[in-house]
Amino acid sequence: MRPYRETQVWIGPAARIEDATFVPAPPSRLQGCMDEMAASILNYAPREDEQTVQTVLTIPAQLAIAHAQFETIHPAPEG
């Protein structure tokens, strides 16, 4: 059994992918997406072009970013 979904999914009430609200990465890209997320989780660093006073994010803020990344990757075949 593969650890991630094997078919393309989409988010939204649409019956067709063309009408979807959001289309996550295709199955062939999931491993790379998950590897990148695992390598960077809780290691947020602002880019050079980001204008920010606070350069260190709190753990809850970093967890929120990680959760958003995970939801965007959407590695499971269903919710």
Side-chain angles (χ1 to χ4, degrees):
M1 181 175 168
R2 292 183 62 189
Y4 307 117
R5 63 181 159 79
E6 297 180 8
T7 58
Q8 182 64 56
V9 297
W10 57 92
I11 310 301
R16 298 176 343 131
I17 194 170
E18 294 85 355
D19 300 323
T21 304
F22 177 73
V23 179
S28 62
R29 305 275 317 265
L30 290 178
Q31 186 65 57
C33 291
M34 294 299 287
D35 290 347
E36 183 178 340
M37 187 184 86
S40 65
I41 200 165
L42 301 183
N43 289 316
Y44 174 81
R47 297 185 321 246
E48 289 182 25
D49 64 335
E50 285 184 308
Q51 300 295 319
T52 180
V53 174
Q54 182 181 3
T55 57
V56 177
L57 290 178
T58 64
I59 293 295
Q62 291 184 57
L63 288 171
I65 291 170
H67 178 76
Q69 287 175 312
F70 182 79
E71 290 294 326
T72 301
I73 296 167
H74 202 79
E78 43 203 51

